[in-house]
Amino acid sequence: MKLKQLAITLSVALATVAGGLAHAQDIKPRLIRFGYGLNEDSNQGRATKLFAQEVEKASGGKMKVRAIGAAALGSDVQMQQALIGGAQEMMVGSTATLVGITKEMAIWDTPFLFNNAQEADVVLDGPVGQKVMDKLQDKGLVGLVYWENGFRNLTNNKRAVAKLEDLDGIKLRVMQNNVFIDSFKTLGANAVPLPFSELFTALETKTVDGQENPYNTILSSKFYEVQKYLTVTNHVYSPWIVTVSKKWWDQLSKDEQKVLMDAAVKSRDFERKDTRAEADKALADLKGKGMQINQLSPAEANRMREKLTSVNAGIAANVGEDLWKETQAAVAKARGG
Ligand code: TF8
């Protein structure tokens, strides 16, 4: 009896393997132009490289990823348009830069939505994250996975920001996104939307006084060369999202799509670990590079938090009350509440 069961199990397993192999041949030679905005030597660059390797491995070398960093293919917004038009196959960029295309993406720009990265993982990889991602399909994009950009912190060249009023009149570059513009206007700064690809020069030429990004990016983009003060604000968690041109995706076989999806999941898991390890020691690195770093007092952090709640109603109206409530519920659940 036992032996017979084993035989059945084995033959089922063999059939599956054989079926899998025969099936796996539906892969054609493909060239994938994969664009991103940061330097090759950044968390974004490292994870893109891993994605490329995984795709090549899983496709037996048939699918080749040409990774093109430093916004050489354009800013996030320009690349999104290239994907929609079918002139470029893939990219990774900020969800915040997608809000003009898919308004629901603005949910991730809610200040202080997540308290920590684990909450972000649960919500982004759960049903709410999927639902928001699926909204891209009507607009000509397919979202595969969310990567971590990270908790954003403030840098500037004017003064150490120790209290809310210190932001008054600071010309602060923000992403091209209404929630970010509103948030920083609310805090008293002069918010200037600019593509990331123009940011270093804007800081260097003093077109703007400051910017906000995760530690990793402040390091990899060498903002410490042109910024003196860093204030730990953690005002919002930014995801990145890996997207594919839907025009191109729809031409792929199921096997080719699976190769991309599996590699995307591997890249996500790698990227989050890598980003967190780098972020853990980044403050010390930035101090070493000469940045002056300060923490907001708990009272000041609270004042900032309180002020920013006034942008929430606008976000809820934009993304829809249902999505707003679902997201709040998902966060509460992730928090164990
Ligand atoms: C920003 C974002 C950047 C992304 C990147 C270029 O400040 O944080 O990390 O847009 O894809 O623009």
Side-chain angles (χ1 to χ4, degrees):
M1 193 59 178
K2 257 194 163 171
L3 210 67
K4 199 172 166 191
Q5 260 171 10
L6 185 69
I8 291 170
T9 312
L10 268 179
S11 60
V12 168
L14 278 174
T16 311
V17 169
L21 281 181
H23 195 59
Q25 281 158 3
D26 195 6
I27 295 179
K28 292 193 183 69
R30 303 270 183 194
L31 178 67
I32 304 158
R33 283 158 298 183
F34 187 115
Y36 60 97
L38 300 193
N39 300 321
E40 212 174 295
D41 187 14
S42 69
N43 50 345
Q44 208 175 41
R46 290 189 292 272
T48 300
K49 193 169 171 194
L50 181 116
F51 174 78
Q53 287 164 348
E54 290 297 330
V55 169
E56 293 217 28
K57 202 162 53 176
S59 66
K62 284 189 181 161
M63 298 169 78
K64 294 217 159 36
V65 178
R66 186 183 292 160
I68 306 159
L73 291 178
S75 67
D76 283 8
V77 170
Q78 288 166 328
M79 288 196 286
Q80 288 153 14
Q81 293 306 326
L83 260 61
I84 291 169
Q88 182 183 329
E89 290 74 29
M90 292 187 73
M91 66 172 286
V92 61
S94 227
T95 55
T97 56
L98 274 167
V99 170
I101 293 172
T102 299
K103 62 182 189 330
E104 289 83 0
M105 283 288 163
I107 192 69
W108 311 129
D109 302 328
T110 309
F112 301 106
L113 179 63
F114 301 122
N115 284 338
N116 55 55
Q118 283 64 41
E119 288 176 11
D121 290 355
V122 171
V123 176
L124 289 163
D125 299 346
V128 176
Q130 190 61 48
K131 188 174 184 172
V132 174
M133 197 182 257
D134 288 346
K135 300 275 181 203
L136 292 169
Q137 299 235 4
D138 295 340
K139 311 288 172 155
L141 296 169
V142 179
L144 298 187
V145 287
Y146 295 100
W147 287 359
E148 173 157 302
N149 187 351
F151 283 97
R152 304 180 78 90
N153 293 292
L154 194 77
T155 69
N156 86 95
N157 244 342
K158 283 270 177 205
R159 57 188 91 99
V161 174
K163 55 181 189 314
L164 200 50
E165 289 71 16
D166 292 332
L167 275 167
D168 273 355
I170 287 190
K171 264 205 212 162
L172 192 81
R173 175 273 177 174
V174 294
M175 290 187 279
Q176 296 152 294
N177 168 301
N178 281 332
V179 179
F180 275 85
I181 297 172
D182 281 359
S183 295
F184 282 97
K185 278 192 178 157
T186 302
L187 294 178
N190 180 357
V192 183
L194 275 182
F196 185 85
S197 44
E198 291 170 25
L199 180 51
F200 187 91
T201 308
L203 293 169
E204 193 175 34
T205 57
K206 306 211 172 3
T207 307
V208 294
D209 304 315
Q211 64 87 44
E212 42 85 54
N213 253 300
Y215 300 142
N216 308 65
T217 299
I218 300 170
L219 260 180
S220 66
S221 291
K222 300 193 165 39
F223 290 159
Y224 52 81
E225 289 181 355
V226 286
Q227 294 279 273
K228 182 152 179 143
Y229 304 103
L230 189 159
T231 307
V232 179
T233 49
N234 290 315
H235 50 274
V236 69
Y237 176 93
S238 261
W240 279 325
I241 185 167
V242 176
T243 48
V244 189
S245 161
K246 186 161 190 306
K247 256 192 189 163
W248 180 72
W249 177 260
D250 288 345
Q251 297 164 24
L252 301 180
S253 71
K254 289 274 164 286
D255 294 324
E256 290 165 335
Q257 291 178 349
K258 188 171 182 311
V259 166
L260 295 180
M261 190 62 207
D262 290 350
V265 169
K266 282 189 180 149
S267 72
R268 174 193 71 196
D269 296 345
F270 165 84
E271 194 271 348
R272 286 177 179 164
K273 253 205 212 140
D274 177 57
T275 298
R276 286 163 199 175
E278 185 181 49
D280 280 347
K281 51 182 212 48
L283 262 190
D285 290 347
L286 288 166
K287 219 177 249 169
K289 303 279 187 197
M291 288 197 91
Q292 195 174 308
I293 296 163
N294 75 294
Q295 308 270 344
L296 288 176
S297 69
E300 280 304 318
N302 257 335
R303 278 181 77 208
M304 205 176 265
R305 220 183 159 109
E306 284 295 304
K307 259 223 131 142
L308 282 172
T309 54
S310 70
V311 305
N312 289 353
I315 301 172
N318 267 320
V319 304
E321 287 293 336
D322 287 351
L323 180 60
W324 175 266
K325 282 190 191 133
E326 274 172 59
T327 308
Q328 294 298 323
V331 173
K333 197 173 156 212
R335 239 163 240 175

